[in-house]
Amino acid sequence: MYVAVKGGERAIENAHAWMAERRRGDREVPELALEQVAEQLSLLVDRVMAEGSLYDPGLAALAIKQARGDVVEAVFLMRAYRTTLPRFGATEPVDTGAMLCERRISATFKDLPGGQVLGPTFDYTHRLLDFKLAAEGEVPEAPVGAPREGAVPHVVSFLNAEGLIQDEPESDETPRDLTREPLDFPADRALRLQALARGDEGFLLGLAYSTQRGYARTHAFVGELRIGMVAVEIEIPELGFSVEIAEIRLTECETVNQFKGSKSEPPQFTRGYGLVFGQSERKALSMSLVDRALRWKELGEDFVGAAAQDEEFVLAHSDNVQATGFLEHIKLPHYVDFQSELELVRKMRREAGAMQEAAE
Amino acid sequence: MTESAERRIECRMERRDWMGVLARADPERLAGAWDALGLAPGFEWLRKPEFGAVMVRGRAGATGAPFNLGEMTVTRCALRLEDGRDGHAYVPGREAAKAEIAALCDALMQGPEADEVREKVIDPLAGDAEAERAHIAAKAAATKVDFFTMVRGED
């Protein structure tokens, strides 16, 4: 027998009204403006854009405000909005070599063309709470220097020139898109990179850390980490030529990893790659370590059973919207399911009791 | 304005260049420049401003095979002036008003108003973009590390 139960509309409405009131907080405190979120919580905005897989700082700021600062809830809102948008097409692959770098560091080469540029970083701060920020006060303008002319080449290109690092095969193949077709395995590298780029930062951080601690160790050096503005170019189908319609901020990480040789090839470094919307270097680093670990098969390494090597494990669990959807659904009513379990346990206990009595 | 900015603006501009300048412009700055221009050409919509997304692609290892990085919001529209010139716009974000102005400027740039639109709208906006880039480059340059070596040990 199935009995449909209705009810709870008023309770739900009132719960949402209370949630909205709590979100607003103390009315004596000025309401948060979206510009304040976008300008002053910009790394949070970047994270919501990256995991929401939709670059739009204004929308991300709104999602953060609506979600009361809950990252996964905000990401969920971004994903839901994205599904309402028609797809106009795809961009040309971005040229990160032409990036206007705000930050560019290498842990492998001290002196390199373009130099070590620290940019607006938390590195080398003392991680002491700054109580000056608790009081109001203006921040002085940061100093300016004389920019150097010319391109800032990728660090791995130096190793590439000597053949010391594994080359990335060039291709213009249209990549598979996990937002348009169900994820199936084996996934190719393009699909893995797409999943990692939108994956949960915390999950990827944990996996990347596990490889450093010895689970599928790949001994990564940060060949290069760069953050800055990159041109987005799309072809205008009506006109038949392409236009640079925007500049977006990206974080890119290239790792240089342990090498392996074979009978036919001399030893070479290998590489992992991370590319993320916004300023998000923890995520880009994590992505490149996990990308490298997932490449074991193509690089002729052994599968040692580590989580970070298992593409099905990584890709099926890295999406926080998917994960939270399934996790959180168990708090919704399961009265009928549970009722049947309850009946079953009672029946089993009755039977066990009867058997025990019979035995005695 | 830097020398390279002037050079860039002086060189003959193609349609893809001015469409790019219009697309990347700050919406308020574009609206201000358009108002100052004071033109109000009649037009009909070929495609009213429409919000959508484009899939941004990257390359594995920066130079390898393409992959889908994530989408970005884009607004597009197309219109036709009374004299038959078409204007198109693809601009980032959800910016209907900006897309309309960008498409109008695109159409006007293909006729007798081109010099005026270039002088009052395109060139100043290109200058803004160049100044913004120079500003970022200068801030970054100030954070470039100058290594020096400490002489240690005995001679």
Side-chain angles (χ1 to χ4, degrees), chain B residues 68-86:
Chain B
N68 293 307
L69 175 63
E71 285 164 291
M72 68 178 289
T73 53
V74 168
T75 307
R76 69 176 175 187
C77 70
L79 49 79
R80 178 164 293 160
L81 299 186
E82 282 160 351
D83 63 10
R85 277 177 285 168
D86 289 352

Side-chain angles (χ1 to χ4, degrees), chain A residues 53-56 82 86-89 91 94 116 118-119 142 145 171-172 176 194 238 242 244 247 271 273, chain B residues 16 24 47 51-55 57 59 61 66 68-69 71 73 90 92 94 133 138-139 143-145 147:
Chain A
S53 202
L54 186 63
Y55 196 100
D56 186 321
R82 185 203 73 82
R87 174 84 64 88
F88 293 163
T91 71
V94 290
Q116 307 271 356
L118 300 181
S171 149
D172 282 316
R176 286 162 71 188
Q194 181 181 14
E238 303 90 318
S242 64
E244 285 182 9
E247 288 203 312
R271 50 209 275 191
Y273 189 64
Chain B
R16 69 184 300 273
R24 295 194 302 272
R47 176 191 277 142
F51 296 164
V54 294
M55 177 56 86
R57 291 199 174 133
R59 286 187 183 279
N68 293 307
L69 175 63
E71 285 164 291
T73 53
Y90 277 74
R94 295 150 295 120
R133 289 181 69 84
K139 286 275 161 81
T143 70
K144 185 168 172 292
V145 179
F147 289 104

Side-chain angles (χ1 to χ4, degrees), chain A residues 36-357:
Chain A
Q36 290 173 313
V37 178
E39 292 297 319
Q40 297 173 41
L41 297 176
S42 54
L43 299 191
L44 177 58
V45 167
D46 287 352
R47 181 167 178 182
V48 168
M49 292 196 299
E51 293 171 23
S53 202
L54 186 63
Y55 196 100
D56 186 321
L59 275 182
L62 173 61
I64 289 162
K65 181 177 179 179
Q66 186 177 335
R68 303 175 67 187
D70 181 318
V71 175
V72 177
E73 183 73 21
V75 168
F76 199 157
L77 293 169
M78 292 292 275
R79 293 274 187 91
Y81 182 82
R82 185 203 73 82
T83 62
T84 68
L85 296 172
R87 174 84 64 88
F88 293 163
T91 71
E92 300 293 323
V94 290
D95 180 5
T96 54
M99 179 184 280
L100 172 63
C101 291
E102 297 172 333
R103 171 167 168 81
R104 188 279 195 122
I105 52 169
S106 170
T108 53
F109 294 100
K110 181 165 72 73
D111 299 299
L112 69 168
Q116 307 271 356
V117 176
L118 300 181
T121 180
F122 293 129
D123 290 357
Y124 313 110
T125 63
H126 295 109
R127 266 70 183 212
L128 299 172
L129 279 172
D130 180 0
F131 290 98
K132 287 202 296 291
L133 286 173
E136 283 174 38
E138 274 313 311
V139 179
E141 275 268 309
V144 293
R148 175 189 158 279
E149 292 285 315
V152 182
H154 276 115
V155 167
V156 293
S157 64
F158 311 139
L159 293 167
N160 228 354
E162 276 187 79
L164 291 176
I165 194 160
Q166 153 261 326
D167 199 14
E168 296 290 3
E170 274 182 42
S171 149
D172 282 316
E173 201 182 320
T174 302
R176 286 162 71 188
D177 183 353
L178 60 78
T179 68
R180 291 301 167 101
E181 51 178 300
L183 189 58
D184 62 353
F185 301 101
D188 57 17
R189 190 169 178 213
L191 211 52
R192 295 198 303 252
L193 288 170
Q194 181 181 14
L196 296 176
R198 71 209 309 255
D200 183 79
E201 179 175 315
F203 181 76
L204 296 183
L205 170 65
L207 281 173
Y209 181 44
S210 76
T211 70
Q212 291 184 295
R213 289 193 65 255
Y215 295 87
R217 182 182 291 282
T218 57
H219 201 267
F221 289 101
V222 174
E224 179 166 354
L225 183 79
R226 55 169 68 190
I227 303 174
M229 307 305 291
V230 171
V232 173
E233 183 172 337
I234 60 166
E235 186 173 304
I236 311 294
E238 303 90 318
L239 302 177
F241 58 83
S242 64
V243 175
E244 285 182 9
I245 61 159
E247 288 203 312
I248 60 174
R249 182 170 286 111
L250 296 179
T251 302
E252 181 187 56
C253 177
E254 293 193 272
T255 55
V256 176
N257 299 71
Q258 67 184 19
F259 41 84
K260 199 175 158 81
S262 66
K263 284 195 185 101
S264 54
E265 287 196 52
Q268 257 190 336
F269 288 109
T270 58
R271 50 209 275 191
Y273 189 64
L275 187 66
V276 184
F277 281 158
Q279 175 173 348
S280 187
E281 62 190 52
R282 188 184 303 112
K283 168 80 180 275
L285 273 161
S286 302
M287 178 172 168
S288 48
L289 264 62
V290 176
D291 170 51
R292 174 59 188 80
L294 287 170
R295 302 181 69 190
W296 62 273
K297 198 182 280 179
E298 134 199 23
L299 296 169
E301 294 167 344
D302 293 330
F303 179 73
V304 298
Q309 286 181 305
D310 184 336
E311 69 172 19
E312 190 161 344
F313 180 84
V314 174
L315 301 199
H317 302 115
S318 59
D319 191 299
N320 53 24
V321 175
Q322 209 171 12
T324 212
F326 197 70
L327 181 93
E328 293 199 47
H329 100 279
I330 63 170
K331 73 193 175 184
L332 300 175
H334 281 64
Y335 306 137
V336 177
D337 291 2
F338 186 69
Q339 196 65 38
S340 72
E341 300 265 312
L342 200 58
E343 287 296 318
L344 185 64
V345 171
R346 280 184 181 136
K347 184 165 167 252
M348 286 162 72
R349 286 176 63 92
R350 268 198 310 274
E351 284 168 6
M355 274 165 70
Q356 206 164 12
E357 264 173 38

Side-chain angles (χ1 to χ4, degrees), chain B residues 2-149:
Chain B
T2 63
E3 233 177 69
S4 70
E6 277 168 358
R7 261 204 316 278
R8 186 177 297 189
I9 293 164
E10 272 170 27
C11 74
R12 200 183 71 81
M13 202 174 245
E14 291 181 20
R15 190 169 180 195
R16 69 184 300 273
D17 299 322
W18 74 61
M19 286 182 74
V21 169
L22 291 162
R24 295 194 302 272
D26 175 73
E28 282 176 28
R29 288 276 298 161
L30 176 61
W34 174 253
D35 289 345
L37 188 67
L39 296 178
F43 69 89
E44 56 165 341
W45 287 115
L46 300 176
R47 176 191 277 142
K48 284 191 175 172
E50 174 188 20
F51 296 164
V54 294
M55 177 56 86
V56 180
R57 291 199 174 133
R59 286 187 183 279
T63 54
F67 69 95
N68 293 307
L69 175 63
E71 285 164 291
M72 68 178 289
T73 53
V74 168
T75 307
R76 69 176 175 187
C77 70
L79 49 79
R80 178 164 293 160
L81 299 186
E82 282 160 351
D83 63 10
R85 277 177 285 168
D86 289 352
H88 291 263
Y90 277 74
V91 305
R94 295 150 295 120
E95 300 281 357
K98 176 181 168 181
E100 179 179 333
I101 296 173
L104 282 168
C105 290
D106 177 48
L108 292 172
M109 282 295 287
Q110 301 167 61
E113 303 89 346
D115 286 344
E116 200 185 351
V117 175
R118 174 167 313 176
E119 186 194 327
K120 293 192 174 149
V121 180
I122 310 288
D123 287 357
L125 293 174
D128 282 356
E130 198 61 39
E132 175 63 21
R133 289 181 69 84
H135 182 71
I136 290 176
K139 286 275 161 81
T143 70
K144 185 168 172 292
V145 179
D146 291 318
F147 289 104
F148 55 91
T149 310

